[in-house]
Amino acid sequence: ISGMGERVTIVPAAVVETPRPVRFLVGPSGGMGKAEGSAGRQDVAYAQAVEVEGISLDAFVFDQGNPPPALVKMDIEGGEVLALPGMQRVLERYKPVVLMELHGPQAAQAAWQALTLAGYRLHRMQAGYPAVRAVEDLDWKAYLVALPGEQ
């Protein structure tokens, strides 16, 4: 897309609950890994770890003065339990649309709690976008669209 480089800035950091160093677990393939403390699969052998910068979305916007997002896309292998608590102010004030893949019941609970508290309604990412009425309706792996507005 023409001009994309002028509108996009890559920030090499893990999104977590508060700015801090994060131990990032490297998975068996180059496309797999997660921040230590993430929920989700516990059966994967992580052969090594690297330390990366961690940032919360609230700190990124409110402390560093970056523009708030209109859309947040998350596929962070169970890291939702770390990232969502650190974006509560952004969710409540700016109401970005949230697209997410959840990994496990802990991630589902964290997403349900953070998003409904911020006044979002959750929908499955499938034809017709059926509403998710309760956290118990979420499968181990769920694809969601969260839209501002009461359930």
PDB file of all heavy atoms in Angstrom, residues 91-114:
ATOM      1  N   LEU A  91      -9.182   1.371  26.393  1.00  0.00           N
ATOM      2  CA  LEU A  91     -10.486   0.770  26.068  1.00  0.00           C
ATOM      3  C   LEU A  91     -11.629   1.661  26.525  1.00  0.00           C
ATOM      4  O   LEU A  91     -12.584   1.896  25.779  1.00  0.00           O
ATOM      5  CB  LEU A  91     -10.614  -0.609  26.717  1.00  0.00           C
ATOM      6  CG  LEU A  91      -9.694  -1.707  26.193  1.00  0.00           C
ATOM      7  CD1 LEU A  91      -9.816  -2.957  27.060  1.00  0.00           C
ATOM      8  CD2 LEU A  91      -9.971  -2.024  24.739  1.00  0.00           C
ATOM      9  N   GLU A  92     -11.545   2.167  27.741  1.00  0.00           N
ATOM     10  CA  GLU A  92     -12.635   2.960  28.298  1.00  0.00           C
ATOM     11  C   GLU A  92     -12.765   4.331  27.638  1.00  0.00           C
ATOM     12  O   GLU A  92     -13.868   4.805  27.390  1.00  0.00           O
ATOM     13  CB  GLU A  92     -12.457   3.106  29.808  1.00  0.00           C
ATOM     14  CG  GLU A  92     -12.685   1.799  30.535  1.00  0.00           C
ATOM     15  CD  GLU A  92     -12.286   1.820  32.001  1.00  0.00           C
ATOM     16  OE1 GLU A  92     -11.785   2.851  32.498  1.00  0.00           O
ATOM     17  OE2 GLU A  92     -12.470   0.777  32.661  1.00  0.00           O
ATOM     18  N   ARG A  93     -11.643   4.975  27.336  1.00  0.00           N
ATOM     19  CA  ARG A  93     -11.711   6.334  26.800  1.00  0.00           C
ATOM     20  C   ARG A  93     -11.846   6.380  25.278  1.00  0.00           C
ATOM     21  O   ARG A  93     -12.632   7.159  24.752  1.00  0.00           O
ATOM     22  CB  ARG A  93     -10.480   7.135  27.209  1.00  0.00           C
ATOM     23  CG  ARG A  93     -10.577   8.573  26.644  1.00  0.00           C
ATOM     24  CD  ARG A  93      -9.510   9.489  27.109  1.00  0.00           C
ATOM     25  NE  ARG A  93      -9.559   9.668  28.555  1.00  0.00           N
ATOM     26  CZ  ARG A  93      -8.629  10.303  29.234  1.00  0.00           C
ATOM     27  NH1 ARG A  93      -7.583  10.808  28.615  1.00  0.00           N
ATOM     28  NH2 ARG A  93      -8.715  10.434  30.535  1.00  0.00           N
ATOM     29  N   TYR A  94     -11.087   5.559  24.558  1.00  0.00           N
ATOM     30  CA  TYR A  94     -11.028   5.673  23.094  1.00  0.00           C
ATOM     31  C   TYR A  94     -11.838   4.624  22.358  1.00  0.00           C
ATOM     32  O   TYR A  94     -12.080   4.760  21.164  1.00  0.00           O
ATOM     33  CB  TYR A  94      -9.574   5.667  22.627  1.00  0.00           C
ATOM     34  CG  TYR A  94      -8.829   6.876  23.126  1.00  0.00           C
ATOM     35  CD1 TYR A  94      -7.843   6.755  24.089  1.00  0.00           C
ATOM     36  CD2 TYR A  94      -9.150   8.148  22.661  1.00  0.00           C
ATOM     37  CE1 TYR A  94      -7.171   7.869  24.566  1.00  0.00           C
ATOM     38  CE2 TYR A  94      -8.491   9.265  23.134  1.00  0.00           C
ATOM     39  CZ  TYR A  94      -7.499   9.121  24.085  1.00  0.00           C
ATOM     40  OH  TYR A  94      -6.840  10.228  24.563  1.00  0.00           O
ATOM     41  N   LYS A  95     -12.238   3.554  23.032  1.00  0.00           N
ATOM     42  CA  LYS A  95     -13.137   2.544  22.471  1.00  0.00           C
ATOM     43  C   LYS A  95     -12.689   1.978  21.119  1.00  0.00           C
ATOM     44  O   LYS A  95     -13.464   1.929  20.172  1.00  0.00           O
ATOM     45  CB  LYS A  95     -14.557   3.106  22.323  1.00  0.00           C
ATOM     46  CG  LYS A  95     -15.163   3.656  23.586  1.00  0.00           C
ATOM     47  CD  LYS A  95     -15.472   2.556  24.558  1.00  0.00           C
ATOM     48  CE  LYS A  95     -16.246   3.106  25.755  1.00  0.00           C
ATOM     49  NZ  LYS A  95     -16.297   2.171  26.849  1.00  0.00           N
ATOM     50  N   PRO A  96     -11.438   1.508  20.992  1.00  0.00           N
ATOM     51  CA  PRO A  96     -11.043   0.904  19.720  1.00  0.00           C
ATOM     52  C   PRO A  96     -11.786  -0.416  19.502  1.00  0.00           C
ATOM     53  O   PRO A  96     -12.155  -1.101  20.463  1.00  0.00           O
ATOM     54  CB  PRO A  96      -9.545   0.647  19.909  1.00  0.00           C
ATOM     55  CG  PRO A  96      -9.375   0.474  21.387  1.00  0.00           C
ATOM     56  CD  PRO A  96     -10.381   1.422  22.001  1.00  0.00           C
ATOM     57  N   VAL A  97     -12.012  -0.768  18.248  1.00  0.00           N
ATOM     58  CA  VAL A  97     -12.511  -2.101  17.914  1.00  0.00           C
ATOM     59  C   VAL A  97     -11.383  -3.067  18.255  1.00  0.00           C
ATOM     60  O   VAL A  97     -10.206  -2.767  18.025  1.00  0.00           O
ATOM     61  CB  VAL A  97     -12.874  -2.178  16.415  1.00  0.00           C
ATOM     62  CG1 VAL A  97     -13.184  -3.615  15.996  1.00  0.00           C
ATOM     63  CG2 VAL A  97     -14.040  -1.244  16.112  1.00  0.00           C
ATOM     64  N   VAL A  98     -11.716  -4.226  18.810  1.00  0.00           N
ATOM     65  CA  VAL A  98     -10.705  -5.214  19.184  1.00  0.00           C
ATOM     66  C   VAL A  98     -10.989  -6.519  18.449  1.00  0.00           C
ATOM     67  O   VAL A  98     -12.096  -7.056  18.528  1.00  0.00           O
ATOM     68  CB  VAL A  98     -10.685  -5.463  20.710  1.00  0.00           C
ATOM     69  CG1 VAL A  98      -9.630  -6.500  21.073  1.00  0.00           C
ATOM     70  CG2 VAL A  98     -10.450  -4.158  21.471  1.00  0.00           C
ATOM     71  N   LEU A  99      -9.982  -7.001  17.715  1.00  0.00           N
ATOM     72  CA  LEU A  99     -10.037  -8.304  17.062  1.00  0.00           C
ATOM     73  C   LEU A  99      -9.051  -9.186  17.802  1.00  0.00           C
ATOM     74  O   LEU A  99      -7.902  -8.800  17.995  1.00  0.00           O
ATOM     75  CB  LEU A  99      -9.618  -8.197  15.590  1.00  0.00           C
ATOM     76  CG  LEU A  99     -10.352  -7.156  14.747  1.00  0.00           C
ATOM     77  CD1 LEU A  99      -9.738  -7.098  13.353  1.00  0.00           C
ATOM     78  CD2 LEU A  99     -11.833  -7.457  14.682  1.00  0.00           C
ATOM     79  N   MET A 100      -9.491 -10.374  18.238  1.00  0.00           N
ATOM     80  CA  MET A 100      -8.576 -11.184  19.036  1.00  0.00           C
ATOM     81  C   MET A 100      -8.805 -12.674  18.865  1.00  0.00           C
ATOM     82  O   MET A 100      -9.911 -13.118  18.609  1.00  0.00           O
ATOM     83  CB  MET A 100      -8.649 -10.793  20.499  1.00  0.00           C
ATOM     84  CG  MET A 100      -9.968 -10.996  21.150  1.00  0.00           C
ATOM     85  SD  MET A 100     -10.105 -10.340  22.861  1.00  0.00           S
ATOM     86  CE  MET A 100      -8.478 -10.159  23.426  1.00  0.00           C
ATOM     87  N   GLU A 101      -7.698 -13.382  19.024  1.00  0.00           N
ATOM     88  CA  GLU A 101      -7.733 -14.833  19.125  1.00  0.00           C
ATOM     89  C   GLU A 101      -7.388 -15.161  20.569  1.00  0.00           C
ATOM     90  O   GLU A 101      -6.372 -14.710  21.086  1.00  0.00           O
ATOM     91  CB  GLU A 101      -6.706 -15.475  18.188  1.00  0.00           C
ATOM     92  CG  GLU A 101      -6.671 -16.981  18.307  1.00  0.00           C
ATOM     93  CD  GLU A 101      -5.620 -17.628  17.421  1.00  0.00           C
ATOM     94  OE1 GLU A 101      -4.710 -16.922  16.940  1.00  0.00           O
ATOM     95  OE2 GLU A 101      -5.712 -18.845  17.234  1.00  0.00           O
ATOM     96  N   LEU A 102      -8.257 -15.919  21.219  1.00  0.00           N
ATOM     97  CA  LEU A 102      -8.032 -16.299  22.614  1.00  0.00           C
ATOM     98  C   LEU A 102      -7.492 -17.716  22.677  1.00  0.00           C
ATOM     99  O   LEU A 102      -7.852 -18.561  21.868  1.00  0.00           O
ATOM    100  CB  LEU A 102      -9.336 -16.236  23.405  1.00  0.00           C
ATOM    101  CG  LEU A 102      -9.992 -14.866  23.518  1.00  0.00           C
ATOM    102  CD1 LEU A 102     -11.325 -14.980  24.238  1.00  0.00           C
ATOM    103  CD2 LEU A 102      -9.075 -13.891  24.226  1.00  0.00           C
ATOM    104  N   HIS A 103      -6.649 -17.960  23.664  1.00  0.00           N
ATOM    105  CA  HIS A 103      -6.042 -19.270  23.853  1.00  0.00           C
ATOM    106  C   HIS A 103      -6.289 -19.746  25.278  1.00  0.00           C
ATOM    107  O   HIS A 103      -5.526 -19.423  26.176  1.00  0.00           O
ATOM    108  CB  HIS A 103      -4.532 -19.203  23.593  1.00  0.00           C
ATOM    109  CG  HIS A 103      -4.184 -18.786  22.206  1.00  0.00           C
ATOM    110  ND1 HIS A 103      -4.163 -17.476  21.813  1.00  0.00           N
ATOM    111  CD2 HIS A 103      -3.851 -19.523  21.118  1.00  0.00           C
ATOM    112  CE1 HIS A 103      -3.820 -17.409  20.539  1.00  0.00           C
ATOM    113  NE2 HIS A 103      -3.638 -18.630  20.099  1.00  0.00           N
ATOM    114  N   GLY A 104      -7.380 -20.452  25.502  1.00  0.00           N
ATOM    115  CA  GLY A 104      -7.626 -21.066  26.792  1.00  0.00           C
ATOM    116  C   GLY A 104      -8.570 -20.301  27.686  1.00  0.00           C
ATOM    117  O   GLY A 104      -8.883 -19.134  27.449  1.00  0.00           O
ATOM    118  N   PRO A 105      -9.037 -20.978  28.754  1.00  0.00           N
ATOM    119  CA  PRO A 105     -10.036 -20.382  29.645  1.00  0.00           C
ATOM    120  C   PRO A 105      -9.535 -19.169  30.428  1.00  0.00           C
ATOM    121  O   PRO A 105     -10.305 -18.256  30.703  1.00  0.00           O
ATOM    122  CB  PRO A 105     -10.423 -21.531  30.579  1.00  0.00           C
ATOM    123  CG  PRO A 105      -9.349 -22.550  30.434  1.00  0.00           C
ATOM    124  CD  PRO A 105      -8.730 -22.369  29.090  1.00  0.00           C
ATOM    125  N   GLN A 106      -8.256 -19.127  30.789  1.00  0.00           N
ATOM    126  CA  GLN A 106      -7.735 -17.945  31.498  1.00  0.00           C
ATOM    127  C   GLN A 106      -7.791 -16.716  30.602  1.00  0.00           C
ATOM    128  O   GLN A 106      -8.160 -15.629  31.043  1.00  0.00           O
ATOM    129  CB  GLN A 106      -6.296 -18.172  31.944  1.00  0.00           C
ATOM    130  CG  GLN A 106      -6.130 -19.083  33.128  1.00  0.00           C
ATOM    131  CD  GLN A 106      -4.651 -19.228  33.436  1.00  0.00           C
ATOM    132  OE1 GLN A 106      -3.903 -19.840  32.673  1.00  0.00           O
ATOM    133  NE2 GLN A 106      -4.237 -18.649  34.537  1.00  0.00           N
ATOM    134  N   ALA A 107      -7.406 -16.884  29.326  1.00  0.00           N
ATOM    135  CA  ALA A 107      -7.451 -15.768  28.381  1.00  0.00           C
ATOM    136  C   ALA A 107      -8.890 -15.337  28.137  1.00  0.00           C
ATOM    137  O   ALA A 107      -9.179 -14.138  28.059  1.00  0.00           O
ATOM    138  CB  ALA A 107      -6.767 -16.155  27.071  1.00  0.00           C
ATOM    139  N   ALA A 108      -9.803 -16.304  28.026  1.00  0.00           N
ATOM    140  CA  ALA A 108     -11.214 -15.981  27.826  1.00  0.00           C
ATOM    141  C   ALA A 108     -11.750 -15.178  29.007  1.00  0.00           C
ATOM    142  O   ALA A 108     -12.449 -14.175  28.830  1.00  0.00           O
ATOM    143  CB  ALA A 108     -12.029 -17.262  27.626  1.00  0.00           C
ATOM    144  N   GLN A 109     -11.412 -15.594  30.212  1.00  0.00           N
ATOM    145  CA  GLN A 109     -11.866 -14.888  31.413  1.00  0.00           C
ATOM    146  C   GLN A 109     -11.295 -13.470  31.455  1.00  0.00           C
ATOM    147  O   GLN A 109     -12.013 -12.513  31.764  1.00  0.00           O
ATOM    148  CB  GLN A 109     -11.460 -15.664  32.672  1.00  0.00           C
ATOM    149  CG  GLN A 109     -12.016 -15.090  33.951  1.00  0.00           C
ATOM    150  CD  GLN A 109     -13.538 -15.131  34.013  1.00  0.00           C
ATOM    151  OE1 GLN A 109     -14.156 -16.130  33.700  1.00  0.00           O
ATOM    152  NE2 GLN A 109     -14.142 -14.032  34.407  1.00  0.00           N
ATOM    153  N   ALA A 110     -10.006 -13.314  31.140  1.00  0.00           N
ATOM    154  CA  ALA A 110      -9.377 -11.985  31.140  1.00  0.00           C
ATOM    155  C   ALA A 110     -10.032 -11.080  30.103  1.00  0.00           C
ATOM    156  O   ALA A 110     -10.294  -9.905  30.364  1.00  0.00           O
ATOM    157  CB  ALA A 110      -7.880 -12.112  30.871  1.00  0.00           C
ATOM    158  N   ALA A 111     -10.292 -11.618  28.909  1.00  0.00           N
ATOM    159  CA  ALA A 111     -10.919 -10.822  27.848  1.00  0.00           C
ATOM    160  C   ALA A 111     -12.341 -10.430  28.242  1.00  0.00           C
ATOM    161  O   ALA A 111     -12.737  -9.274  28.089  1.00  0.00           O
ATOM    162  CB  ALA A 111     -10.917 -11.607  26.538  1.00  0.00           C
ATOM    163  N   TRP A 112     -13.090 -11.400  28.732  1.00  0.00           N
ATOM    164  CA  TRP A 112     -14.476 -11.122  29.135  1.00  0.00           C
ATOM    165  C   TRP A 112     -14.514 -10.021  30.190  1.00  0.00           C
ATOM    166  O   TRP A 112     -15.259  -9.054  30.078  1.00  0.00           O
ATOM    167  CB  TRP A 112     -15.128 -12.398  29.666  1.00  0.00           C
ATOM    168  CG  TRP A 112     -16.548 -12.171  30.057  1.00  0.00           C
ATOM    169  CD1 TRP A 112     -17.015 -11.877  31.304  1.00  0.00           C
ATOM    170  CD2 TRP A 112     -17.679 -12.176  29.192  1.00  0.00           C
ATOM    171  NE1 TRP A 112     -18.374 -11.711  31.267  1.00  0.00           N
ATOM    172  CE2 TRP A 112     -18.812 -11.884  29.989  1.00  0.00           C
ATOM    173  CE3 TRP A 112     -17.855 -12.400  27.838  1.00  0.00           C
ATOM    174  CZ2 TRP A 112     -20.094 -11.819  29.456  1.00  0.00           C
ATOM    175  CZ3 TRP A 112     -19.127 -12.325  27.306  1.00  0.00           C
ATOM    176  CH2 TRP A 112     -20.220 -12.043  28.107  1.00  0.00           C
ATOM    177  N   GLN A 113     -13.681 -10.170  31.206  1.00  0.00           N
ATOM    178  CA  GLN A 113     -13.680  -9.208  32.312  1.00  0.00           C
ATOM    179  C   GLN A 113     -13.271  -7.815  31.841  1.00  0.00           C
ATOM    180  O   GLN A 113     -13.961  -6.835  32.107  1.00  0.00           O
ATOM    181  CB  GLN A 113     -12.747  -9.693  33.413  1.00  0.00           C
ATOM    182  CG  GLN A 113     -12.755  -8.796  34.629  1.00  0.00           C
ATOM    183  CD  GLN A 113     -11.925  -9.371  35.765  1.00  0.00           C
ATOM    184  OE1 GLN A 113     -11.475 -10.493  35.722  1.00  0.00           O
ATOM    185  NE2 GLN A 113     -11.727  -8.575  36.788  1.00  0.00           N
ATOM    186  N   ALA A 114     -12.148  -7.702  31.148  1.00  0.00           N
ATOM    187  CA  ALA A 114     -11.640  -6.391  30.727  1.00  0.00           C
ATOM    188  C   ALA A 114     -12.569  -5.714  29.727  1.00  0.00           C
ATOM    189  O   ALA A 114     -12.841  -4.509  29.831  1.00  0.00           O
ATOM    190  CB  ALA A 114     -10.245  -6.538  30.127  1.00  0.00           C
TER     191      ALA A 114
END
